[in-house]
Amino acid sequence: MTFTELELKDVILISPNVFGDERGFFMETYNKAVFSKAGLDREFVQDNHSKSSAGVLRGLHFQKNPYAQGKLVRATKGSIWDIVVDLRKNSATYKKAIKILLDDKDKRMLYVPEGFAHGFISIEDCEVQYKCTNLYNKESEGGIRWNDPELGIDWGIENPVVSTKDQELPYLKDIESALNF
Ligand SMILES: Cc1cn([C@H]2C[C@H](O)[C@@H](COP(=O)(O)OP(=O)(O)O[C@H]3O[C@H](C)C(=O)[C@H](O)[C@H]3O)O2)c(=O)[nH]c1=O
C-alpha cells in the first residue's frame, strides 16, 4: 500500500496492494496499523455507499465544524472524476481544486481531510464507497455550487445530472465569511 500526498497538502492518494489470482483478487482497503505508520492515524466512524449512473454529479459538499468529515473514498464499480476543493483559509492552496481519477481497475483510494469540499462525477455507471471520520449531521451540511465560476472546475463531462438540492447550493463568495476550517 503506497501513500502519496497530492498538490493539496494533506490530501493523500493511496494505492492498495492487489493480490490477483485465477479466482479474482483480494486487497486490504483499510489497515489501522499501515495507515497510522503512513501518518493517517484517523478513526472512521461511518461508511457510506452510493450508486450513480454515468454523468451524475454529486457535490460539492462538506460538513461544518464540529461535524467536519475526513473521507476515505474509492470507486468500487466503474470510474469517477473525484473533485476536492481546499476550504482552509490559512492554507497556501485555499480555494484550489484538484481532479483525481478513481476507478475499479487501479482501485486507488483518496483520503480527503476535514476542511475540504468534496464531489465527484460519474464517468460511467459507478458505485462509490467512503469511510468518514465523523457522523452525518444534517444540520451541519454545507456546499458550493458545482459550476462556481470562481473555482472554474473542469468536471470533464458536459451537462451533468445534478440534484435540485445541489443545483441550489451557494457560490463560495456567498459563504466564505462563515467558513471556519
Ligand atoms: C451524506 C448522507 C446522506 N444521508 C441521506 C440524506 C438524504 O436523504 C440521502 C441522500 O443524501 P445526499 O443527496 O446528500 O447524498 P449525496 O449527494 O451522495 O451526498 C454526498 O455527496 C458527496 C460526494 C459527499 O462527499 C458527501 O459525503 C455527501 O454529501 O441520504 C444520510 O442518511 N447520511 C449521510 O451521511
Side-chain angles (χ1 to χ4, degrees):
M1 197 175 271
T2 59
F3 296 75
T4 307
E5 188 171 45
L6 300 181
E7 55 265 49
L8 296 186
K9 189 174 181 309
D10 305 323
V11 176
I12 311 292
L13 188 62
I14 301 153
S15 293
N17 299 325
V18 182
F19 300 94
D21 62 26
E22 67 283 356
R23 298 168 298 170
F25 73 85
F26 173 90
M27 66 188 234
E28 291 182 1
T29 56
Y30 173 67
N31 179 309
K32 185 173 177 58
V34 172
F35 272 58
S36 179
K37 191 170 177 215
L40 273 180
D41 199 3
R42 305 308 312 273
E43 182 191 12
F44 297 103
V45 297
Q46 182 174 313
D47 211 356
N48 297 335
H49 184 166
S50 67
K51 176 178 180 179
S52 304
S53 305
V56 166
L57 187 157
R58 296 176 185 258
L60 293 158
H61 301 158
F62 58 88
Q63 286 195 169
K64 301 164 193 165
N65 282 326
Y67 287 93
Q69 295 173 310
K71 297 166 188 168
L72 180 61
V73 187
R74 63 195 181 105
T76 54
K77 182 172 178 285
S79 55
I80 64 171
W81 287 114
D82 201 85
I83 303 284
V84 174
V85 184
D86 193 346
L87 298 181
R88 303 169 302 180
K89 287 180 178 171
N90 297 326
S91 165
T93 52
Y94 177 50
K95 296 188 184 180
K96 182 170 169 53
I98 58 173
K99 180 167 84 174
I100 304 101
L101 177 67
L102 299 177
D103 64 30
D104 62 357
K105 293 169 184 59
D106 289 344
K107 302 180 176 57
R108 299 183 307 177
M109 302 181 280
L110 189 69
Y111 179 70
V112 184
E114 297 86 346
F116 288 78
H118 177 246
F120 63 83
I121 190 163
S122 312
I123 299 166
E124 56 187 305
D125 289 358
C126 75
E127 294 189 29
V128 174
Q129 295 181 272
Y130 49 106
K131 292 175 171 53
C132 300
T133 61
N134 211 336
L135 298 176
Y136 175 60
N137 182 275
K138 185 169 184 55
E139 293 67 39
S140 304
E141 281 189 305
I144 300 168
R145 189 90 56 81
W146 66 279
N147 56 356
D148 186 329
E150 182 178 7
L151 299 177
I153 295 168
D154 172 10
W155 291 85
I157 292 172
E158 297 293 319
N159 306 316
V161 175
V162 183
S163 68
T164 304
K165 183 185 87 167
D166 285 354
Q167 284 285 19
E168 294 169 356
L169 288 171
Y171 287 145
L172 178 54
K173 66 179 175 56
D174 298 320
I175 61 160
E176 187 168 3
S177 59
L179 291 176
N180 66 347
F181 292 117

